[in-house]
């Protein structure tokens, strides 16, 4: 009896198996946004995940109630607000929220920056099993978190409570969200800066990853129940840095101009 090579059959089986079992997407796509305040809608991740809403909120002592960062910073002409996105379409997308104090004399105190999100790893019942990495905080880590099952009550939810209290209620995720059956989870992460001095900038970098990466020691993860390969890890850090004054930039540019002129002279003197 003639022997038949198994290689074509094996290759065909491998191809069929590969087509039958989807691979992890490992791409967080930016969705719609950022809007004026730095919010997003419909950020895709994993195989079928979707962050329906991502909303930043800011409180600064002396500038009224918490609100959208752009709206709050417009209450004082010394403050500037900017948003930038990197890594959209990769396994780690970051959103940089930056608040800059351009005053040479004035300081601001008790800055609290919060990001709210409602990730859905599967799109039938919107159930996610939540896990967290929440050890002792190091510099820049989020200082508070909330994770609950979603509610339709506008006053009994994370955004509503932050608008009143200017703080998240720091606690472990709801027991239902930690259980294998999961919950329709919503979350908030908060970063604090005691002061923002003259010519200083506060950066809050939010990271969304569907391949398990985190940019801070504290993070929250949302695994779609029954949705293999669809887990979103949310992390982030903050830092306050000095912003060079205009005179410093002018001196630096003048120095570069001198160096460029000297380099040009030397090039002309070199023999051909």
């Amino acid at each position: 009896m003639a022997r038949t090579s198994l290689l074509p059959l094996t290759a065909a089986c491998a191809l069929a198996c590969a087509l039958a079992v989807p691979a992890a997407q490992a791409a967080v796509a930016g969705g719609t946004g950022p809007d004026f305040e730095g919010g997003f809608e419909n950020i895709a991740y994993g195989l079928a995940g979707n962050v329906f809403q991502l909303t930043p909120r800011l409180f600064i002592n002396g500038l009224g109630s918490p609100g959208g960062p752009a709206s709050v910073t417009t209450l004082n002409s010394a403050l500037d607000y900017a948003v930038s996105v990197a890594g959209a379409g990769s396994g780690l997308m970051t959103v940089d929220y930056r608040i800059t104090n351009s005053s040479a004399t004035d300081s601001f105190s008790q800055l609290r920056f919060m990001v709210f999100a409602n990730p859905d790893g599967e799109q039938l019942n919107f159930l996610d099993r939540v896990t967290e990495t929440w050890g002792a905080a190091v510099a820049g880590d989020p200082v508070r978190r909330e994770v609950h099952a979603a509610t339709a009550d506008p006053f009994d939810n994370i955004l509503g409570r932050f608008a009143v209290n200017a703080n998240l209620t720091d606690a472990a995720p709801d027991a239902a969200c930690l259980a294998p059956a999961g919950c329709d989870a919503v979350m908030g992460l908060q970063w604090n800066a005691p002061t923002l001095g003259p010519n200083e900038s506060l950066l809050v970098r939010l990271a969304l990853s569907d391949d398990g990466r985190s940019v801070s020691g504290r993070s929250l993860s949302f695994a779609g129940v029954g949705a293999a390969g669809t887990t979103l890890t949310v992390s982030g850090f903050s830092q306050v840095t000095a912003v060079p004054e205009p005179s410093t930039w002018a001196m630096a540019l003048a120095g570069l101009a001198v160096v460029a002129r000297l380099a040009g002279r030397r090039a002309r003197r070199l023999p051909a």
Side-chain angles (χ1 to χ4, degrees):
M1 181 175 179
R3 297 172 65 92
T4 303
S5 173
L6 296 178
L7 290 177
L9 296 175
T10 304
C13 179
L15 177 60
C17 293
L19 293 174
V21 181
Q25 178 178 317
V28 183
T32 303
D35 60 19
F36 174 68
E37 300 288 3
F40 293 79
E41 293 180 353
N42 299 317
I43 300 174
Y45 64 93
L47 291 173
N50 181 64
V51 181
F52 177 72
Q53 176 186 1
L54 191 148
T55 303
R57 288 291 182 260
L58 174 66
F59 171 79
I60 301 177
N61 187 41
L63 295 184
S65 301
S71 300
V72 172
T73 52
T74 56
L75 298 175
N76 191 296
S77 59
L79 294 173
D80 294 312
Y81 174 61
V83 184
S84 60
V85 180
S90 74
L92 178 69
M93 172 178 146
T94 59
V95 185
D96 282 3
Y97 300 99
R98 188 178 295 275
I99 300 154
T100 302
N101 177 13
S102 61
S103 172
T105 57
D106 297 336
S107 295
F108 298 88
S109 63
Q110 297 182 38
L111 284 79
R112 300 168 192 161
F113 196 95
M114 190 274 287
V115 175
F116 166 86
N118 57 342
D120 294 317
E122 59 89 20
Q123 304 306 308
L124 180 60
N125 299 304
F126 310 111
L127 298 176
D128 287 274
R129 181 175 181 268
V130 180
T131 57
E132 67 173 356
T133 300
W134 204 264
V138 299
D141 275 349
V143 296
R144 290 172 178 257
R145 86 290 200 200
E146 278 193 52
V147 181
H148 303 297
T151 171
D153 187 337
F155 301 103
D156 184 25
N157 60 31
I158 291 174
L159 284 171
R161 287 190 295 273
F162 189 83
V164 174
N165 303 319
N167 258 324
L168 292 179
T169 303
D170 187 36
D174 285 356
C177 300
L178 296 170
C183 73
D184 182 5
V186 293
M187 56 142 286
L189 283 178
Q190 178 180 326
W191 295 262
N192 292 349
T195 59
L196 186 66
N199 296 308
E200 286 187 337
S201 177
L202 168 65
L203 167 69
V204 175
R205 175 168 294 172
L206 179 74
L208 306 175
S209 173
D210 65 0
D211 60 14
R213 281 181 283 177
S214 172
V215 301
S216 56
R218 290 177 161 183
S219 63
L220 301 169
S221 292
F222 302 82
V225 174
T230 305
T231 297
L232 183 71
T233 299
V234 184
S235 62
F237 66 85
S238 67
Q239 61 181 11
V240 174
T241 56
V243 177
E245 297 183 19
S247 59
T248 303
W249 284 113
M251 291 176 62
L253 291 173
L256 289 173
V258 171
V259 171
R261 284 199 299 271
L262 291 175
R265 289 176 184 175
R266 288 172 183 163
R268 287 194 295 272
R269 290 175 185 173
L270 290 176

